[in-house]
Amino acid sequence: VRRPGPGRGDDRGAPVIAAQALQAATEELVSSVVLPQVAQWDRDDVLPAAVLERIVELGIPGAMVPAQYGGAGRTVAELVPVWRVLSQGWISITGAVNPTGLATALLVRNGTERQRERWLPRLASGELLASFSITEPGAGSDIKRLRTTATRPADGGPGWVLDGEKRWVAGGVSSAVVFVMVRAQGSDRPSCLVLPADGRGEGAWTVDELDKIGYRGVESAAYRFAGHVAPGAELLGGDEAGLGAGARQMLGALDVGRVNVACRGLGIMDRALAVALGEARGREVGSGALGSHTHVQLRIGELRSRVMAVEALIARAAAAVDARADDAGEVAIAAKLAASEGAVWAVDQAARLAASRSYTADAELARLRRDAPQTQIGEGANDALLIALGRAGIAAGA
Ligand SMILES: Cc1cc2nc3c(=O)[nH]c(=O)nc-3n(C[C@H](O)[C@H](O)[C@H](O)COP(=O)(O)OP(=O)(O)OC[C@H]3O[C@@H](n4cnc5c(N)ncnc54)[C@H](O)[C@@H]3O)c2cc1C
């Protein structure tokens, strides 16, 4: 994902598009630009800069930045239909905007006033995009195994010195700032470091891009820090409040990200259903249209009912996240689980109807088959989330 050129600057108070107009513009973009070209972009592994620029122009990445910092102050519930439609086009677009939403939640919930002033206006305008980095080669769901460290510079200068490795940093080749989980000097518990991208790609902070089977067009970076000196880096929330608070801060922000991932799953389910309906109506087999056969009606009935169920659960999760309700984390996990498992299942169901027509390299279902598992992994491996949900239920006597 390439960052759009120098942006519109600190344009606080810029007119905000009404939610309905944003929805209509997103639908137009997806139907007239994304869907006709996505097979080619997927093949080329590129999310074109012009598409990202349009997304930025619509204010989608920094949409949740509050008005006082120049943003539209949109709620998660308002963004759900936008993320869903983007995902009907390509989940890579929904994924590309997600880290900036996570960064917004992190700053709004945990940042110092100076940190909010430093970053939020430029995230709102789209001048800057952010990345969010927890995962390491040896640490995914299990953050106890986190190894990356941040120590104070030996010369007593400002900032932090980083050592370690990170994996799967979405947008992490060109983002302007990375919210990175580290073990910071002074605490055994993880902290969240706000790390400007200065010096990335040079000797002490090297970057590789991971090649992926799906979710293409999104930069997935692997970082290696070898004594990277970052004078501009600081702990989210400040030296005192931020030290050792990274797990609470970063895992907390994942409720927003899990709703985003759930919308990716739902968008895939929508498209699988659309393909299944096309087959049911357009294909003649046996005694008549494919859709005149009971087994096809059953499959489509089940697809429709699961789409409706996931849609309802995502709406519940978004409302809980917006209200900062006690159960927001769990409902967001449940929505992400239902939608991602639903996406993998729905593609398989549709492919049973499309059969060989799902198997050419350019077939939409072929891409969806490669894209859907990303939603089972991103923002937490589903098995790990199921265990967490189960444990919490048992502990609470649910
Ligand atoms: C396309 C893509 C984009 C991504 N983007 C980002 C990103 O932007 N930022 C980021 O930080 N990460 C990102 N990730 C990483 C993703 O969040 C992790 O892959 C995910 O959290 C799972 O971690 P893992 O792959 O290490 O699997 P693991 O956590 O190792 O899971 C593997 C298995 O181990 C089990 N397991 C895990 N912990 C335990 C335990 N304590 N006890 C018993 N069993 C356990 C799990 O249930 C699972 O079955 C991305 C991943 C992908 C594929």
Side-chain angles (χ1 to χ4, degrees):
V1 180
R2 235 166 302 130
R3 184 158 52 105
R8 301 172 301 163
D10 184 355
D11 48 1
R12 285 185 196 204
V16 168
I17 314 174
Q20 240 176 343
L22 172 62
Q23 185 64 18
T26 309
E27 282 167 14
E28 166 65 20
L29 178 71
V30 166
S31 62
S32 64
V33 179
V34 179
L35 281 171
Q37 300 181 76
V38 62
Q40 184 67 44
W41 301 342
D42 172 62
R43 215 173 14 251
D44 296 346
D45 195 6
V46 64
L47 173 49
V51 175
L52 195 59
E53 270 161 33
R54 178 69 183 136
I55 296 290
V56 165
E57 209 172 84
L58 292 172
I60 296 173
M64 286 178 282
V65 174
Q68 72 190 101
Y69 301 101
R74 294 193 198 279
T75 60
V76 175
E78 258 184 277
L79 287 170
V80 159
V82 174
W83 291 338
R84 178 180 186 174
V85 168
L86 287 178
S87 305
Q88 289 165 358
W90 200 17
I91 65 162
S92 296
I93 304 177
T94 326
V97 302
N98 186 44
T100 301
L102 291 170
T104 303
L106 282 173
L107 286 162
V108 168
R109 295 176 185 179
N110 310 289
T112 62
E113 194 46 42
R114 208 182 49 76
Q115 289 170 341
R116 292 187 192 128
E117 286 285 347
R118 181 179 178 193
W119 298 108
L120 285 174
R122 289 178 296 163
L123 295 180
S125 69
E127 182 188 342
L128 306 182
L129 296 179
S131 288
F132 181 94
S133 172
I134 294 181
T135 309
E136 299 185 354
S141 318
D142 188 1
I143 59 164
K144 289 197 192 75
R145 291 182 182 272
L146 205 79
R147 292 283 174 268
T148 301
T149 58
T151 48
R152 289 296 191 184
D155 64 2
W160 294 86
V161 180
L162 283 94
D163 286 276
E165 287 183 66
K166 289 288 172 184
R167 284 284 182 286
W168 294 109
V169 189
V173 178
S174 58
S175 55
V177 55
V178 186
F179 289 73
V180 56
M181 193 183 272
V182 295
R183 287 199 188 282
Q185 188 177 336
S187 174
D188 288 342
R189 289 179 297 150
S191 302
C192 175
L193 201 65
V194 187
L195 176 67
D198 310 317
R200 183 176 52 202
E202 292 162 21
W205 180 0
T206 53
V207 186
D208 285 313
E209 226 179 304
L210 304 171
D211 193 14
K212 308 187 290 290
I213 59 160
Y215 193 60
R216 286 160 70 79
V218 177
E219 295 166 359
S220 292
Y223 291 160
R224 183 187 295 270
F225 299 106
H228 170 67
V229 182
E234 48 188 10
L235 294 181
L236 180 69
D239 281 349
E240 227 169 278
L243 187 66
R248 176 181 55 76
Q249 295 170 338
M250 295 187 83
L251 300 183
L254 286 179
D255 59 2
V256 174
R258 286 181 180 134
V259 176
N260 175 294
V261 174
C263 290
R264 293 179 217 169
L266 182 56
I268 290 174
M269 293 177 83
D270 288 332
R271 290 305 305 168
L273 175 58
V275 172
L277 288 171
E279 292 290 330
R281 293 184 185 127
R283 175 103 176 145
E284 298 281 323
V285 291
S287 54
L290 187 62
S292 67
H293 298 275
T294 317
H295 71 283
V296 176
Q297 294 160 5
L298 270 173
R299 284 202 196 282
I300 287 179
E302 203 174 355
L303 273 163
R304 292 189 64 206
S305 80
R306 281 184 70 165
V307 165
M308 289 182 222
V310 167
E311 184 180 66
L313 188 52
I314 291 177
R316 181 177 157 194
V321 172
D322 285 333
R324 306 290 308 274
D326 287 346
D327 66 351
E330 290 202 342
V331 186
I333 285 177
K336 180 316 219 198
L337 286 166
S340 58
E341 296 299 338
V344 171
W345 169 85
V347 172
D348 180 59
Q349 296 299 301
R352 287 164 199 265
L353 306 190
S356 64
R357 293 172 300 289
S358 74
Y359 209 70
T360 51
D362 270 2
E364 185 175 13
L365 283 180
R367 175 176 54 78
L368 297 180
R369 228 192 244 285
R370 291 183 284 103
D371 283 350
Q374 194 281 329
T375 65
Q376 293 175 309
I377 305 167
E379 247 76 346
N382 277 4
D383 272 5
L385 296 180
L386 281 166
I387 291 166
L389 207 54
R391 277 203 188 128
I394 292 162

